[in-house]
Amino acid sequence: MDIAVIGSNMVDLISYITRMPQEGETIEAPDFSMGCGGKGANQAVAAARLGSQVLMVSRVGDDMFAANTVRNFEANGIDTTHVLSTPGTSGVAPIFVDPDSHNSIIIVKGANNALSPADVDAVADEVAQCRLIVLQLEIPLETVYAAIDLGRRVGVPVLLNPAPASTELDFAQVTKCDYFVPNETELATLTGLPTGSIEEVRAAAQVLVDRGCPNLIVTLGKRGVFWLGTEGELLLDEYPATPVDTTGAGDAFIGCFSHHLVQGDPVPEALRAANAYAANSVTKRGTQKSYADAEEFAHWLAQGESER
Ligand code: RIB
């Protein structure tokens, strides 16, 4: 296996709205789409579609969504041996996408809350064979910490995407990660420092690099992506694309970046690919539905911007 994703899965219930309702108001939305989501699952699927071998460690409920989620992992070639079942609801995410392609997301973690440090211990031997562990924050923090510790114990690099932002995330745990990939808001939440300008982002990232995290990668939305590492730094502009739905673009970025890392690509090269892959994802509706496979992505890259 190339990548172990220890994280969440959700069912995305996406309403395409013209505006958010006021309190007590009922409004009609012109369109709806249901699909597989969850930050962990999204990152796993993006990496798998690009050709990585992915092991998923996650929990589904015992409801009508569970079997579909497992089937979806399997359809994407992901190892589901450690996708476990737990009583109650699966994770669900009502999502609202406005005409400007911006999204608002509510997550109901459901079974994801039951993914435990013991579940991480149970998969230690398989994880030790992987080349990268990928984590997010839609499972309990103690489970995230157990996975970071496992990575260090068995010598497998750890990538942590601290999304959604948590004020409880332990700074000391973050500095144990080989790759820390927040957006600018998540970086501000963790460090307590401003991240409004690129200079401020750089200064906040430097704090974490100085404390031991060798690679800080900050996704900056329309301003692109910034990497500060012990081996160098890079600021990439946003890759040009016309967005229709930005939901899951950050997960597309991390899935693609992880795929390139485990192929042995240097960080700048992996970042360039991930920046473009995330841009490709926003040109289509949905979360996982918008993730290209390797062939589709190569074709899109080969087209000139004017042809798209
Ligand atoms: O990052 C996008 C994801 O956030 C969605 O798929 C939703 O399920 C939430 O986890």
Side-chain angles (χ1 to χ4, degrees):
M1 282 293 151
D2 296 319
I3 301 171
V5 177
I6 302 175
S8 61
N9 67 86
M10 308 263 168
V11 175
D12 287 351
L13 308 166
I14 310 181
S15 297
Y16 293 92
I17 60 171
T18 49
R19 65 174 175 84
M20 289 296 261
Q22 309 283 326
E23 187 185 340
E25 186 188 25
T26 302
I27 59 170
E28 186 181 338
D31 213 350
F32 172 81
S33 170
M34 188 166 103
C36 291
K39 295 181 195 304
N42 293 347
Q43 294 169 18
V45 165
R49 288 205 181 142
L50 289 168
S52 282
Q53 288 188 307
V54 181
L55 167 70
M56 186 75 204
V57 183
S58 197
R59 277 192 179 264
V60 293
D62 62 357
D63 53 10
M64 61 188 283
F65 297 131
N68 188 54
T69 293
V70 176
R71 256 198 314 275
N72 177 62
F73 282 134
E74 287 168 355
N76 283 285
I78 292 169
D79 185 327
T80 58
T81 315
H82 291 271
V83 177
L84 308 169
S85 176
T86 209
T89 180
S90 294
V92 291
I95 299 176
F96 305 94
V97 179
D98 73 15
D100 293 327
S101 81
H102 300 129
N103 62 69
S104 307
I105 304 179
I106 298 169
I107 56 166
V108 183
K109 289 185 183 170
N112 294 294
N113 266 329
L115 194 71
S116 68
D119 295 332
V120 174
D121 287 346
V123 74
D125 290 347
E126 288 97 318
V127 171
Q129 305 303 315
C130 294
R131 283 186 263 175
L132 183 68
I133 298 171
V134 176
L135 305 167
Q136 321 73 29
L137 299 184
E138 289 181 332
I139 57 172
L141 279 177
E142 57 181 0
T143 308
V144 172
Y145 300 159
I148 294 171
D149 287 339
L150 171 62
R152 286 176 73 90
R153 207 164 60 238
V154 298
V156 176
V158 175
L159 182 156
L160 173 60
N161 167 223
S166 166
T167 50
E168 280 153 42
L169 182 61
D170 182 355
F171 204 91
Q173 292 285 347
V174 168
T175 56
K176 293 186 203 166
C177 296
D178 302 84
Y179 303 92
F180 184 59
V181 193
N183 62 24
E184 66 263 65
T185 315
E186 292 152 359
L187 181 63
T189 302
L190 182 73
T191 59
L193 295 170
T195 56
S197 67
I198 298 294
E199 293 68 34
E200 288 172 339
V201 166
R202 193 186 184 292
Q206 187 73 59
V207 170
L208 284 158
V209 172
D210 289 346
R211 292 277 290 270
C213 179
N215 292 285
L216 242 294
I217 294 156
V218 191
T219 53
L220 299 166
K222 291 205 155 306
R223 289 183 297 168
V225 58
F226 174 70
W227 167 57
L228 179 67
T230 45
E231 313 256 297
E233 75 177 78
L234 180 70
L235 176 64
L236 289 178
D237 287 339
E238 185 188 39
Y239 195 89
T242 306
V244 298
D245 182 353
T246 56
T247 318
D251 300 328
F253 178 92
I254 287 169
C256 181
F257 178 72
S258 302
H259 167 72
H260 280 270
L261 275 188
V262 299
Q263 299 307 304
D265 289 344
V267 170
E269 203 172 304
L271 288 174
R272 284 194 181 87
N275 201 30
Y277 188 77
N280 173 265
S281 80
V282 306
T283 64
K284 291 164 275 177
R285 279 186 164 189
T287 40
Q288 292 177 26
K289 285 179 185 172
S290 69
Y291 297 169
D293 63 19
E295 194 182 339
E296 188 193 335
F297 182 44
H299 179 72
W300 185 78
L301 285 177
Q303 284 178 330
E305 203 185 321
S306 56
E307 289 174 59
R308 289 183 200 136

